[in-house]
Amino acid sequence: MKVVIIGGGEVGFHVAKALSEEDFDITVIDIDPIKCSRASENLDVIVVEGNGASPNTLNEAAVGDADYVLCLTRVDEVNLIASQQAHKLGANRIIARLRNQQYTTQDSIIRPEKFGVDIVIHPERAACEEITRLVKHPYALQVMDFEAGRLTMLGLTIDKECKDIDGIPLGKIAKNNSHFRFAVIAVLRGRDTIVPPANFTFEEGDIGYFIIKTQDIQNLMTLLCKELTITKRVMIIGGSKIGRTLAKELPKESFNTRLVEYNRPKAGQISHSIDESMIIYGDGADIEFLKSENIQNVKYVLNTPKQTNLPQNTIDLILLVDVYHELEFPFEVINDMKNSLKSNGQIVLLEYRAEDPSVPIKALHKMSVKQITKEMDYAGMKLVKNIQKLPRHCLLYTSPSPRDRG
């Protein structure tokens, strides 16, 4: 299969990397010589340097013979023009990345299908949808809905000492729980992905991916010795595009949602456009402000450069936002944090991507996925999820390695 990727930035690079590992015929087009060099030096792909919206460049890349053309530049208008040119040249199917969601509204004058686009991807909307699913299912590492929500795919960590599944073959587990049906489509064990047969047995630390009827999720959670927790109150810090979309689209009947914005004029503007959530002017990093908004269980913890002094086995999730790269003793801090996690706890890192030279941040404030993965692995934490949908950041979920649990 021949795939042409227009745009060799961070998204285009990672898509090309994933597809090239599947033995597809990949061509990457980008106008930036630095991005072209990066792709040619690190990937098994053909690289064409030039304007992805230019017919000459597209002809050089043989776009007319492509089974798929992926338009993934940062500029919506370039993606639309490139899609139109690729369509005219005879490309089979075209996928375009568009950040402006107005292009796909019913009253839009310019419709992507008029440019030959078959599938549109909105990165911010995709991020919002994923966050919404995780808010609805806080016990899961990954969630996807199918059949208009009637089926759900859940990524769940297998905990130790769950008598209903400990040492029992998968086929027998299903037989012993015939009152509901589920399928295990994959199991992530360390860095290996396993498609489990009937005689497969789970191990502590495995991440199982289950397909189940949504109405039977409670039965599955009971089987896995997990509590079905329900989120009722949501606070969104920051009125960014993603924050505003979440505040507008989280179901009002299910969630009490509040959005906090530090900029007063912006908070006022948002309050006039969103009726579904409460908009609050304030500093989301101010502990006293959070307490005034009834955010309970907020504590100050005095720490040292090597110790967090967090209580052991008590924390579900630790989120480090643009801070891990600043740690003077990262191994000691992460190792200490690991000891504070519950059995299914996670450490999540948000860092500026070092792989993308276009991110306007000094190099010392960036980190690569490879670097983070290596350092976290050394501290006994394994990478379980890598989200690259954000414009400038990578979002990495890590869990304690099985050898370091207990």
Side-chain angles (χ1 to χ4, degrees):
M1 181 180 292
K2 180 177 176 59
V3 180
V4 176
I5 298 173
I6 301 173
E10 199 60 34
V11 174
F13 180 86
H14 281 282
V15 171
K17 181 180 180 181
L19 293 178
S20 63
E21 291 172 354
E22 299 295 328
D23 201 28
F24 291 140
D25 179 10
I26 310 296
T27 300
V28 176
I29 301 173
D30 202 284
I31 199 170
D32 186 343
I34 296 177
K35 293 178 181 178
C36 289
S37 297
R38 179 192 176 201
S40 62
E41 291 171 4
N42 295 281
L43 303 176
D44 183 17
V45 299
I46 299 171
V47 177
V48 176
E49 183 179 334
N51 185 348
S54 165
N56 292 335
T57 304
L58 297 179
N59 277 318
E60 183 181 349
V63 163
D65 300 328
D67 296 289
Y68 281 89
V69 174
L70 313 181
C71 301
L72 304 176
T73 75
R74 291 180 176 272
V75 183
D76 289 354
E77 291 71 24
V78 171
N79 291 336
L80 287 173
I81 297 300
S83 298
Q84 186 179 52
Q85 299 281 11
H87 179 69
K88 293 289 186 182
L89 291 171
N92 188 24
R93 287 182 69 79
I94 300 169
I95 301 174
R97 174 197 189 198
L98 299 178
R99 300 187 68 182
N100 189 340
Q101 299 177 27
Q102 293 181 356
Y103 283 124
T104 51
T105 58
Q106 291 185 348
D107 57 350
S108 175
I109 299 174
I110 299 177
R111 303 283 295 180
E113 53 265 31
K114 293 181 180 180
F115 291 80
V117 177
D118 296 293
I119 300 174
V120 174
I121 297 173
H122 294 300
E124 280 86 1
R125 173 166 290 278
C128 287
E129 289 172 352
E130 181 156 1
I131 292 171
T132 300
R133 288 192 293 265
L134 291 173
V135 168
K136 291 180 179 179
H137 304 278
Y139 42 80
L141 297 176
Q142 191 168 355
V143 184
M144 292 189 71
D145 296 325
F146 301 94
E147 295 292 324
R150 291 188 292 271
L151 289 177
T152 302
M153 189 280 291
L154 297 171
L156 300 167
T157 303
I158 305 301
D159 299 327
K160 62 180 179 179
E161 298 177 356
C162 183
K163 57 181 175 51
D164 293 331
I165 63 172
D166 188 21
I168 303 174
L170 185 56
K172 190 173 182 180
I173 294 174
K175 188 176 181 179
N176 293 343
N177 296 272
S178 57
H179 58 289
F180 73 102
R181 299 181 64 184
F182 65 91
V184 183
I185 57 175
V187 175
L188 183 63
R189 178 172 292 169
R191 297 183 181 180
D192 297 326
T193 301
I194 304 168
V195 178
N199 61 353
F200 175 85
T201 57
F202 287 110
E203 294 181 3
E204 179 196 350
D206 285 348
I207 299 174
Y209 292 88
F210 299 82
I211 289 281
I212 189 170
K213 287 184 178 179
T214 303
Q215 65 190 33
D216 289 329
I217 289 178
Q218 174 67 74
N219 292 323
L220 178 64
M221 298 299 288
T222 301
L223 170 64
L224 299 179
C225 305
K226 291 180 176 291
E227 181 182 357
L228 184 65
T229 53
I230 299 176
T231 303
K232 294 182 179 179
R233 297 196 303 161
V234 177
M235 175 172 280
I236 302 167
I237 309 297
S240 64
K241 183 182 289 188
I242 293 177
R244 296 194 303 271
T245 303
L246 282 171
K248 192 172 183 65
E249 296 192 358
L250 282 173
K252 191 174 182 179
E253 62 276 9
S254 302
F255 302 102
N256 175 7
T257 305
R258 287 173 283 180
L259 185 150
V260 179
E261 171 54 48
Y262 185 66
N263 183 292
R264 183 185 286 273
K266 187 175 181 179
Q269 184 180 10
I270 295 172
S271 67
H272 291 298
S273 61
I274 297 178
D275 298 324
E276 292 80 2
S277 301
M278 180 183 295
I279 313 301
I280 302 170
Y281 163 66
D283 183 359
D286 185 339
I287 298 294
E288 295 304 321
F289 167 77
L290 294 176
K291 287 182 177 179
S292 72
E293 290 299 320
N294 293 320
I295 302 299
Q296 304 301 323
N297 302 320
V298 177
K299 297 180 180 179
Y300 291 100
V301 179
L302 182 63
N303 54 50
T304 70
K306 290 186 178 182
Q307 287 185 307
T308 62
N309 294 324
L310 295 170
Q312 292 194 359
N313 304 315
T314 58
I315 297 177
D316 295 296
L317 184 142
I318 298 174
L319 175 61
L320 303 178
V321 180
D322 289 332
V323 71
Y324 176 71
H325 67 274
E326 299 283 0
L327 295 178
E328 185 178 359
F329 301 99
F331 170 78
E332 290 81 359
V333 170
I334 295 300
N335 193 55
D336 191 59
M337 287 182 174
K338 179 185 65 183
N339 294 330
S340 72
L341 296 175
K342 293 181 180 178
S343 60
N344 60 343
Q346 293 183 304
I347 298 176
V348 180
L349 291 84
L350 184 75
E351 290 286 344
Y352 284 103
R353 285 194 292 262
E355 297 92 340
D356 188 353
S358 65
V359 173
I361 300 294
K362 290 183 178 180
L364 75 157
H365 296 304
K366 299 180 182 180
M367 291 197 74
S368 68
V369 174
K370 183 178 180 180
Q371 180 185 1
I372 294 173
T373 303
K374 182 177 180 180
E375 293 185 10
M376 295 297 283
D377 185 66
Y378 184 67
M381 299 293 296
K382 66 174 181 177
L383 179 67
V384 296
K385 193 172 183 183
N386 177 2
I387 296 178
Q388 295 287 337
K389 295 177 180 177
L390 303 177
R392 295 176 177 176
H393 290 83
C394 58
L395 185 61
L396 305 180
Y397 288 70
T398 66
S399 293
S401 302
R403 66 179 185 273
D404 290 283
R405 290 179 183 266

